[in-house]
Amino acid sequence: MKIKRLSILLIHLSLPFLLFTGCLKDGDDTLVLPTPDGKIPYSVVPERLQDSLRDNGFVIHEGINPPTIVGKFRMSPMDLQYASDNYQNTFYDLVMTLTGQYRRGRISYSESQVDTVLGKATMASVIGEGDDFTMYCFQDISKINRAGDTLYTCTSATVVSGSISKEGIKDCQYSNIILDKWAVNDYYASQIPPVETFRIWNDGDSLATRIGFIESTK
């Protein structure tokens, strides 16, 4: 079984493409995440999809007093627990970087595998209580060919959950949910999972190891 990068899309690295952003663009308007109230807003992940995540083993830690989670963490090995689109594969380690955490829960998030940046969400939020937390954000991606034509676009929600410690994130889970997509034709549409499908990964040894400390809480 070939090892795959954990992009939600089949990105061909030989072609230029736009990386994820943390805000949703709609014409001249910018849609940002709502102020956290201790729960993942249904405008980010609809209620039925949050219920489906829980039903398939994903733990959402709620609360208005999340812990400080800034740092760099490696999920290894990436253990695919569930895929609602029945996708199966083996994945490279995922490195998650969290910086700039505010007391009201705003935080910056980016992710990468090997030397490839997969996503960067400049406006994410974190909820939780005690050492338990859940981080959520929007991520957008577009694939553009050499002529500058957009071949597909996709909006997803990324959710990371676990318990923070000096060693890393205990019981770390990662999920990606497809919220919307567009493609120029059926071929490129087939490269994107169907809307409202999701995948859940666990850290295979139950600890996303801390590989860097970042002093940036505000």
Side-chain angles (χ1 to χ4, degrees):
M1 183 178 294
K2 293 183 178 180
I3 296 177
K4 296 288 185 178
R5 298 187 188 279
L6 181 60
S7 175
I8 59 173
L9 310 176
L10 301 179
I11 300 172
H12 298 286
L13 298 180
S14 60
L15 297 177
F17 59 90
L18 298 180
L19 293 178
F20 297 110
T21 60
C23 299
L24 297 180
K25 301 291 184 178
D26 184 8
D28 293 330
D29 297 326
T30 299
L31 308 178
V32 299
L33 292 171
T35 301
D37 65 355
K39 300 179 182 294
I40 299 176
Y42 295 149
S43 59
V44 179
V45 180
E47 182 177 14
R48 63 186 178 280
L49 292 178
Q50 291 191 41
D51 290 342
S52 293
L53 286 174
R54 290 187 176 97
D55 289 344
N56 289 282
F58 191 91
V59 179
I60 298 175
H61 296 292
E62 298 181 338
I64 60 173
N65 297 300
T68 299
I69 61 171
V70 291
K72 182 176 287 189
F73 308 90
R74 177 181 286 114
M75 286 189 71
S76 176
M78 293 291 292
D79 181 10
L80 181 63
Q81 173 177 315
Y82 178 80
S84 63
D85 61 342
N86 297 317
Y87 186 76
Q88 295 289 329
N89 222 309
T90 303
F91 297 89
Y92 289 114
D93 297 351
L94 178 70
V95 174
M96 302 174 292
T97 303
L98 298 118
T99 62
Q101 183 173 348
Y102 287 79
R103 289 185 178 89
R104 289 187 60 81
R106 293 297 173 89
I107 195 166
S108 295
Y109 172 76
S110 63
E111 59 188 43
S112 63
Q113 285 177 306
V114 191
D115 294 324
T116 302
V117 175
L118 298 179
K120 183 175 183 179
T122 57
M123 191 65 71
S125 290
V126 59
I127 56 177
E129 295 283 347
D131 294 331
D132 301 331
F133 76 92
T134 295
M135 187 284 302
Y136 58 88
C137 63
F138 287 119
Q139 299 200 78
D140 284 351
I141 191 169
S142 299
K143 182 176 183 178
I144 300 174
N145 64 17
R146 295 183 186 279
D149 302 318
T150 300
L151 303 178
Y152 58 60
T153 62
C154 177
T155 297
S156 69
T158 295
V159 187
V160 178
S161 192
S163 299
I164 196 69
S165 70
K166 291 182 179 180
E167 294 76 25
I169 303 172
K170 297 178 180 178
D171 302 319
C172 186
Q173 293 182 294
Y174 175 101
S175 182
N176 193 271
I177 306 106
I178 305 299
L179 300 176
D180 193 17
K181 72 175 186 177
W182 173 89
V184 68
N185 56 39
D186 290 343
Y187 170 75
Y188 288 107
S190 69
Q191 297 187 21
I192 310 170
V195 172
E196 296 199 352
T197 60
F198 60 90
R199 299 169 185 172
I200 298 171
W201 287 264
N202 295 331
D203 189 286
D205 60 8
S206 299
L207 180 69
T209 306
R210 186 186 292 273
I211 58 175
F213 284 88
I214 299 172
E215 298 293 337
S216 61
T217 301
K218 299 178 181 180

